[in-house]
Amino acid sequence: MFATKESLKRRTGPFGIGRLSYLQSLVNEFQDTESQDKLNQQIILSNEGIYHLSACLSRSNEDIVFSAISTLIYLNSKATNLQLTTIPIINVMLTFSKSRNSRFRNLANIYLKEVCSPSKVKEALAGQKLWDDQLKQLHSPP
């Protein structure tokens, strides 16, 4: 609780910034970052970013796919949720959620829980089941 003068000098840091100044600079940095994030979000959305990011989900480069999923999660808001919860995107996330790759599986599960409503996921699952049933009928002998 109480500190000696030597202890306070050690906590001041190498640049002579006091605790209050340091905390204030952290707050300022956070606020600046937050405003930059909003600007980045606006730029992405105004340039059809959701469309372009969803196209990246089928890329062979895993890092691109991970970045695309993470960015889509970041873009989720009331204004963008309908674009982010289309059945094709949910189907991709459902496929990734069953992946052997834990990074794909974890990111997809976060997407499905944080971005998608349970009813949208059920709708996508029902569509997948219907598709699977139709395929079985096409390939089964008469």
Side-chain angles (χ1 to χ4, degrees):
M1 175 83 116
F2 297 102
T4 64
K5 194 171 190 174
E6 291 79 29
S7 175
L8 288 174
K9 283 182 183 179
R10 276 196 312 269
R11 292 182 189 174
T12 302
F15 303 110
I17 297 174
R19 269 187 142 174
L20 182 59
S21 298
Y22 176 72
L23 291 174
Q24 186 60 52
S25 67
L26 284 177
V27 169
N28 291 341
E29 182 180 340
F30 175 77
Q31 290 170 340
D32 291 343
T33 302
E34 192 173 275
S35 64
Q36 184 66 39
D37 285 348
K38 288 179 184 178
L39 178 63
N40 289 341
Q41 186 178 33
Q42 289 171 356
I43 291 169
I44 291 169
L45 294 175
S46 67
N47 289 292
E48 299 180 11
I50 292 174
Y51 169 79
H52 294 295
L53 288 164
S54 63
C56 291
L57 297 175
S58 61
R59 291 293 203 64
S60 59
N61 184 321
E62 288 182 355
D63 290 330
I64 290 174
V65 178
F66 297 143
S67 294
I69 296 170
S70 299
T71 304
L72 289 171
I73 292 169
Y74 161 75
L75 292 174
N76 186 39
S77 69
K78 288 180 183 178
T80 61
N81 190 265
L82 283 176
Q83 292 176 280
L84 293 171
T85 57
T86 61
I87 297 302
I89 292 176
I90 295 173
N91 282 336
V92 170
M93 295 304 164
L94 287 168
T95 301
F96 287 159
S97 73
K98 298 171 189 164
S99 174
R100 290 182 183 168
N101 184 317
S102 61
R103 289 176 67 194
F104 275 125
R105 196 171 53 247
N106 292 339
L107 269 176
N109 282 319
I110 290 169
Y111 191 95
L112 292 168
K113 289 177 185 165
E114 298 296 324
V115 178
C116 306
S117 67
S119 62
K120 278 291 235 185
V121 174
K122 283 182 186 178
E123 181 184 345
L125 285 168
Q128 282 184 344
K129 183 177 179 342
L130 180 64
W131 178 252
D132 289 344
D133 291 345
Q134 289 173 347
L135 282 175
K136 286 177 188 172
Q137 287 177 353
L138 285 173
H139 296 292
S140 63

